Amino acid sequence: MDGAYVKCLKAGLVPDYVVTLDPHPTRVVRWFGDPNFEENARHDDYFARQDLDVDFRANSIRHNNENIELIDRHAALSKLVICTSSSQTVVERAEQAGFDAYWWNPLVDDPRSPDSVTRQLHGINRLPCMNTGGTVGTAAWVFADAILRIPELAVIGMDLGYPGDTPIHMTQTYYELHDHVESPEELEKLFPRFTFPLNGDHYYTDPTYFWYRKNLLELLEQSSATTVNCSEGGTLFGPKIACLRLSEYLERHAHG
């Protein structure tokens, strides 16, 4: 998925496919190297509040410039599976970098309904439609399951939550939730807690990611593929998904 793309390149891994879908006009382009990074960062503290890469926070302009150069060298080696909901900034950056783009529509409702918006979208552009589950990570899982038909899928970075000691003001929708409730006690109730079964560590999630988690678990129920969560933490676990350390998963398949 798009958020892991630069990390993969820096680790020497060139993905066959990169999936992107989020429509935000200025944030998502960062994953592809943002030509207007300084201007966009000046008006939005989204990444400054959340980014796990502390060095990127401290040296963000330098890292962004390095990312632009890195992606420009590698973009033509990956297929960009890009949703029609993507922003113009992402589209322009993808064209500039030289990606081979493959377009699709998000499944926004039941296409069997005669007044379906999904049916209308397909009628306009004749592009295939795919369930996203609400996140690019889930969309990447759907693409691997339904389109590539991979029988065993391992996911990493799919925590759908936050480590238990993360201050809630650093969560994605903190500002919106803060404005929605009347007291700190009410706010705290909006962040359900989980214990990750692999190691007993504590995590929590917010209403948005709780809904994303529910969507993915429901999609897993409909899939015949085996899915293994190698994220080593978070809130994503259940009857249809095994949890395993990444090192153990790689060792298991080392001779495959």
Side-chain angles (χ1 to χ4, degrees):
M1 59 186 181
D2 50 11
Y5 179 50
V6 167
K7 294 289 188 182
C8 286
L9 294 182
K10 289 182 176 180
L13 302 172
V14 180
D16 292 324
Y17 302 95
V18 180
V19 180
T20 189
L21 68 86
D22 195 295
H24 196 279
T26 59
R27 291 175 182 169
V28 182
V29 69
R30 170 185 168 163
W31 305 131
F32 302 98
D34 183 2
N36 298 307
F37 178 82
E38 292 184 64
E39 180 65 19
N40 290 332
R42 186 176 298 116
H43 302 289
D44 189 356
D45 70 346
Y46 177 85
F47 291 109
R49 285 188 294 118
Q50 299 190 84
D51 201 296
L52 298 178
D53 189 339
V54 177
D55 189 55
F56 190 97
R57 294 187 202 176
N59 304 283
S60 56
I61 296 174
R62 174 175 61 82
H63 278 287
N64 181 69
N65 292 335
E66 292 173 353
N67 291 347
I68 290 175
E69 295 178 7
L70 183 66
I71 290 169
D72 285 348
R73 292 200 307 269
H74 293 88
L77 302 176
S78 300
K79 295 178 174 63
L80 183 64
V81 184
I82 182 170
C83 185
T84 52
S85 61
S86 296
S87 69
Q88 187 64 32
T89 55
V90 170
V91 174
E92 291 174 355
R93 175 64 185 131
E95 292 176 347
Q96 179 190 60
F99 280 103
D100 188 8
Y102 291 78
W103 289 89
W104 54 284
N105 291 318
L107 199 69
V108 297
D109 57 12
D110 187 348
R112 294 170 296 184
S113 173
D115 58 350
S116 164
V117 174
T118 303
R119 287 171 66 96
Q120 294 178 44
L121 285 173
H122 179 70
I124 293 170
N125 56 32
R126 312 307 297 177
L127 292 172
C129 303
M130 189 170 72
N131 195 335
T132 71
T135 74
V136 67
T138 302
W141 178 88
V142 171
F143 177 75
D145 178 44
I147 306 301
L148 301 182
R149 297 191 178 278
I150 298 174
E152 181 172 292
L153 303 169
V155 300
I156 186 169
M158 297 277 283
D159 50 17
L160 299 182
Y162 307 90
D165 59 354
T166 305
I168 61 173
H169 72 266
M170 294 180 67
T171 58
Q172 186 177 49
T173 54
Y174 169 75
Y175 290 142
E176 292 84 353
L177 293 172
H178 182 271
D179 293 341
H180 182 70
V181 300
E182 297 181 355
S183 70
E185 291 75 21
E186 286 185 71
L187 184 63
E188 185 67 29
K189 292 178 182 178
L190 297 177
F191 296 90
R193 306 280 167 168
F194 294 84
T195 300
F196 192 66
L198 192 64
N199 51 26
D201 289 345
H202 299 292
Y203 294 83
Y204 70 90
T205 191
D206 59 21
T208 303
Y209 276 100
F210 186 85
W211 183 68
Y212 294 153
R213 176 182 185 270
K214 176 178 178 290
N215 292 344
L216 181 49
L217 291 177
E218 290 178 353
L219 287 168
L220 287 166
E221 290 290 338
Q222 302 173 38
S223 172
S224 59
T226 299
T227 301
V228 182
N229 184 3
C230 298
S231 303
E232 302 186 19
T235 71
L236 183 59
F237 53 87
K240 286 280 290 185
I241 182 167
C243 296
L244 199 65
R245 289 180 173 81
L246 179 60
S247 59
E248 295 176 12
Y249 182 86
L250 294 175
E251 184 177 351
R252 175 189 295 180
H253 294 274
H255 305 293

